[in-house]
Amino acid sequence: MSTPIVGLIMGIIFGASVVLAGLTDPDKIIGALRLKDFHALRTIVVFVLVGMLGTWLLGFAGAANLKIEPAAILALLLGGALVGIGLGLSGYCPGTGLAALASGRIDALFTVMGMLFGAHVYVLIYPSIVVPLERILNFGPVTLPQITGTSAASWIVPAFITGAAVLLVTRPGRGTMDDRKTHDERNVSLAASSRPSIQTSPAFATGCLGTVRMFCRWKNFLFLIIVLCLLVLQASFWLVKAGYVGVDGNTSGNNPVAAGAKTQTNETAGQIVSDPREAAAAKIEVPVKLPWKPNPVAFDITFERVALLLRVTNAVLVLASVLYALVVFFGLTVSLGGRFRGLNHICQAFYFSLVALVLLLPWQAVSGSIVSGAIYTPGELAGSCSTNPGGTFGEALVYMRFTGYWVSVAVILVMAQSRSRRWSKIAVRKLKNAIQTNTRTQAPASQQSEGV
Amino acid sequence: MNTLNAQRSPLPWWAAGVLLGLVQVLAVSLVGPLEVSTQFVVADAKALEHVAPEYAENHPLVSSKEYRQSGYGWWFNIGIVLGALIAVLHLRTWRVRTTTVWLQRNHNAPVLLRLIVGFCGGVFLLLGAGLAHGALSGQLISGWTQLSLSAVPFTITMFGCGMLVAYLVYPRGAGEDRRGR
């Protein structure tokens, strides 16, 4: 049924739907990317979930016309980055840009013109750049169920759970901004609620100022510790992966994460153990394989030393991450009690610090290979680096596990730190103003009483 | 400031999402998943046929049949513009607008800057869409509805870079002035 008239009708329906969804407003797209206005994000989540469910059901009826794009990973990463940059700059995507054009937006016209120019540039660079790029790490048109050997339902159910979690976290609630209001309405409501939020007692304000400063010092110190530990973690992976540190055959899966931790799951080619207790009982060891020769002249580092360093780093990292989240939570409670401004910043900081903590913790120690944290043990590192990963996909998985995961956690931690820094700036400024204001208003009164 | 008001969304997020999802399901049942960005390359291919026919004939992409015909996808994009126009006229929200609240709040910039930024954004959008074989509709939405592996790396870098760029270009919230209040 691929005819022009069907295309025109479908386009009309889609264009009207985009306008009704409010996605032609670039302020909403930019607001979503700035994590201020979640209307567009929630709409897209529901859009994807409904489409996913419907496509799956159509598949059962044999009525789904699918078109799976090839998974050329490098091209996708770069393409996604460029699309993200374009989205962040303009607030439009190709579809919403066309729809916004029809609603009278002149900036959308220029964005569409830019898209046409971008298409021309793409055509020009296609033979020399795009074609070679698409040959790198190209898995072809595959789906997630196909490549993992699982069913579609095993992906759709977690997708719904994840989508529901996103909707829950970003839901509009009492006291938060209703994202359907215009910006002017929001400003009016903000102004109406902008009564002085810091109590006028100078002693209270001074105490709060000291508390916030102490919170900042501890937060920054713990953040520094976490960053150093993360760098050590990543450096140890690259030292082993690049062959500067050889892996000897005595390393086993029994290296603890910290004192009292459970045994580590060992994954070798074709031998996946789901229960760490079974791994310990079976005394599974990392296969003896020495593809690299250590260089004692340039790097006097043995794997035993790296393993010891990793264990210490992991312990410090876990403690520092927990303390960091607690300190941010402390800042949140102080903010609530003192009724400071910038509550959304410290809330976001706390949320991000919690997410980073959850992603960091070594869940593989308790759940086996089901869930892994960004922290890895010496045994896991040795096992992954010394065995054959099983092709390009396996290699990519290794890098995603040890580096990609790490990058995600680092980004989330940086976001937590930037949010908390923004909150602390606002809080300190307001507290200083409150102290100065209180001092000025009380000084004339005291001078008058002395003159009597 | 009235002309800079962000638009109110006609539908709540859940209804809008369901509507768009059903449109996707309809498209998949009739023809295939939604995609928009490819037709910009088709438009360029048509222009090249007239301006540089020899180059177009020998180009590995433009010379293919998919980029020479004005079929379903071409008329789909035209339909988007028509459908949006119908909806906007029905809602009586058609109005000439030139800039965004976010840009005004953060930079108090002239309209020309917004147009330049929009143009540059469009260039990045289609370059990226070409590399990724789709943008939001074609790769993000359609990719995830089909559980395509390609959607995963695309989503990660798209949101990551999008959030970073938005934060750098629009650091202050739209509800705050330059003093952060």
Side-chain angles (χ1 to χ4, degrees), chain A residues 190-208:
Chain A
L190 274 172
S193 65
S194 63
R195 286 181 289 277
S197 60
I198 300 172
Q199 296 187 21
T200 54
S201 159
F204 181 83
T206 306
C208 284

Side-chain angles (χ1 to χ4, degrees), chain A residues 35-200:
Chain A
L35 300 180
K36 300 284 187 187
D37 183 345
F38 293 110
H39 170 84
L41 185 64
R42 281 193 288 264
T43 304
I44 289 173
V45 167
V46 177
F47 185 178
V48 168
L49 292 179
V50 171
M52 191 185 287
L53 184 64
T55 304
W56 182 50
L57 294 173
L58 282 175
F60 279 120
N65 297 291
L66 302 180
K67 186 185 174 190
I68 312 290
E69 300 292 351
I73 302 296
L74 193 59
L76 284 163
L77 289 171
L78 188 57
L82 291 172
V83 168
I85 292 170
L87 198 65
L89 284 175
S90 64
Y92 295 116
C93 73
T96 58
L98 286 174
L101 184 64
S103 60
R105 293 208 73 112
I106 306 298
D107 53 349
L109 173 65
F110 276 74
T111 302
V112 169
M113 286 162 55
M115 289 188 215
L116 289 167
F117 183 73
H120 183 65
V121 174
Y122 172 73
V123 167
L124 292 177
I125 67 171
Y126 181 83
S128 55
I129 296 177
V130 178
V131 169
L133 196 65
E134 286 186 345
R135 289 199 191 112
I136 302 171
L137 279 179
N138 192 335
F139 298 97
V142 290
T143 63
L144 291 166
Q146 283 171 347
I147 205 159
T148 55
T150 53
S151 65
S154 63
W155 287 94
I156 290 176
V157 171
F160 265 81
I161 294 171
T162 307
V166 170
L167 294 175
L168 194 67
V169 167
T170 60
R171 72 187 186 279
R174 193 188 304 177
T176 62
M177 290 184 187
D178 180 350
D179 57 2
R180 292 189 62 206
K181 285 183 183 172
T182 63
H183 285 281
D184 266 2
E185 288 174 348
R186 274 206 285 273
N187 290 339
V188 166
S189 63
L190 274 172
S193 65
S194 63
R195 286 181 289 277
S197 60
I198 300 172
Q199 296 187 21
T200 54

Side-chain angles (χ1 to χ4, degrees), chain A residues 35-392:
Chain A
L35 300 180
K36 300 284 187 187
D37 183 345
F38 293 110
H39 170 84
L41 185 64
R42 281 193 288 264
T43 304
I44 289 173
V45 167
V46 177
F47 185 178
V48 168
L49 292 179
V50 171
M52 191 185 287
L53 184 64
T55 304
W56 182 50
L57 294 173
L58 282 175
F60 279 120
N65 297 291
L66 302 180
K67 186 185 174 190
I68 312 290
E69 300 292 351
I73 302 296
L74 193 59
L76 284 163
L77 289 171
L78 188 57
L82 291 172
V83 168
I85 292 170
L87 198 65
L89 284 175
S90 64
Y92 295 116
C93 73
T96 58
L98 286 174
L101 184 64
S103 60
R105 293 208 73 112
I106 306 298
D107 53 349
L109 173 65
F110 276 74
T111 302
V112 169
M113 286 162 55
M115 289 188 215
L116 289 167
F117 183 73
H120 183 65
V121 174
Y122 172 73
V123 167
L124 292 177
I125 67 171
Y126 181 83
S128 55
I129 296 177
V130 178
V131 169
L133 196 65
E134 286 186 345
R135 289 199 191 112
I136 302 171
L137 279 179
N138 192 335
F139 298 97
V142 290
T143 63
L144 291 166
Q146 283 171 347
I147 205 159
T148 55
T150 53
S151 65
S154 63
W155 287 94
I156 290 176
V157 171
F160 265 81
I161 294 171
T162 307
V166 170
L167 294 175
L168 194 67
V169 167
T170 60
R171 72 187 186 279
R174 193 188 304 177
T176 62
M177 290 184 187
D178 180 350
D179 57 2
R180 292 189 62 206
K181 285 183 183 172
T182 63
H183 285 281
D184 266 2
E185 288 174 348
R186 274 206 285 273
N187 290 339
V188 166
S189 63
L190 274 172
S193 65
S194 63
R195 286 181 289 277
S197 60
I198 300 172
Q199 296 187 21
T200 54
S201 159
F204 181 83
T206 306
C208 284
L209 184 61
T211 303
V212 170
R213 281 180 170 153
M214 183 197 68
F215 151 81
C216 288
R217 279 196 294 270
W218 272 105
K219 177 182 64 69
N220 295 337
F221 173 68
L222 288 167
F223 180 73
L224 193 62
I225 298 290
I226 293 171
V227 166
L228 287 172
C229 289
L230 286 175
L231 289 173
V232 168
L233 210 64
Q234 191 60 203
S236 62
F237 166 70
W238 285 105
L239 279 175
V240 175
K241 189 67 179 169
Y244 291 117
V245 176
V247 178
D248 56 36
N250 289 329
T251 54
S252 69
N254 292 330
N255 292 318
V257 170
K262 295 187 181 134
T263 55
Q264 179 61 40
T265 300
N266 244 340
E267 288 188 9
T268 64
Q271 190 178 24
I272 295 175
V273 177
S274 59
D275 190 345
R277 288 180 289 275
E278 286 180 8
K283 293 181 185 174
I284 294 172
E285 291 183 354
V286 174
V288 178
K289 192 172 178 180
L290 295 168
W292 312 282
K293 290 182 181 176
N295 187 343
V297 178
F299 296 92
D300 189 17
I301 302 173
T302 61
F303 188 78
E304 284 75 23
R305 290 179 182 172
V306 171
L308 176 64
L309 180 64
L310 260 183
R311 290 191 200 102
V312 172
T313 303
N314 289 341
V316 171
L317 188 52
V318 168
L319 290 172
S321 306
V322 171
L323 284 173
Y324 184 81
L326 283 175
V327 167
V328 176
F329 178 67
F330 167 74
L332 174 61
T333 53
V334 167
S335 187
L336 283 169
R339 295 173 62 197
F340 296 164
R341 288 179 192 252
L343 192 58
N344 60 326
H345 299 305
I346 193 65
C347 283
Q348 286 178 30
F350 178 56
Y351 170 69
F352 285 133
S353 67
L354 267 187
V355 171
L357 175 64
V358 168
L359 291 179
L360 265 176
L361 292 176
W363 300 106
Q364 62 270 29
V366 295
S367 69
S369 59
I370 299 172
V371 179
S372 294
I375 290 176
Y376 43 87
T377 63
E380 193 181 350
L381 179 62
S384 296
C385 294
S386 61
T387 56
N388 185 5
T392 311

Side-chain angles (χ1 to χ4, degrees), chain B residues 25-97:
Chain B
V25 173
L26 181 64
V28 169
S29 67
L30 291 177
V31 179
L34 299 169
E35 61 171 352
V36 177
S37 55
T38 309
Q39 301 309 312
F40 286 85
V41 182
V42 172
D44 188 67
K46 290 180 187 307
L48 281 174
E49 275 181 29
H50 289 95
V51 173
E54 280 187 28
Y55 177 79
E57 194 63 39
N58 296 320
H59 195 278
L61 180 72
V62 165
S63 60
S64 65
K65 186 184 171 186
E66 183 188 352
Y67 291 91
R68 283 174 171 259
Q69 59 189 13
S70 306
Y72 169 82
W74 181 258
W75 287 96
F76 180 81
N77 280 22
I78 292 173
I80 289 176
V81 179
L82 283 176
L85 182 63
I86 293 170
V88 160
L89 290 175
H90 174 72
L91 293 168
R92 296 181 187 175
T93 55
W94 195 95
R95 196 164 70 241
V96 173
R97 276 169 289 223

Side-chain angles (χ1 to χ4, degrees), chain A residues 34 90 105 123 187 422, chain B residues 59 99 105 114 167 170-171:
Chain A
R34 286 285 284 108
S90 64
R105 293 208 73 112
V123 167
N187 290 339
R422 200 178 300 175
Chain B
H59 195 278
T99 186
R105 284 290 191 183
R114 168 63 187 158
Y167 182 77
Y170 311 102

Side-chain angles (χ1 to χ4, degrees), chain B residues 80-153:
Chain B
I80 289 176
V81 179
L82 283 176
L85 182 63
I86 293 170
V88 160
L89 290 175
H90 174 72
L91 293 168
R92 296 181 187 175
T93 55
W94 195 95
R95 196 164 70 241
V96 173
R97 276 169 289 223
T98 52
T99 186
T100 61
V101 175
W102 280 93
L103 191 70
Q104 286 300 299
R105 284 290 191 183
N106 279 268
H107 304 288
N108 198 17
V111 169
L112 182 62
L113 181 66
R114 168 63 187 158
L115 301 180
I116 293 172
V117 168
F119 182 87
C120 296
V123 174
F124 281 111
L125 273 170
L126 242 295
L127 263 179
L131 285 173
H133 291 267
L136 258 74
S137 303
Q139 192 61 265
L140 179 74
I141 307 292
S142 298
W144 279 109
T145 55
Q146 300 172 98
L147 294 174
S148 171
L149 174 65
S150 60
V152 177

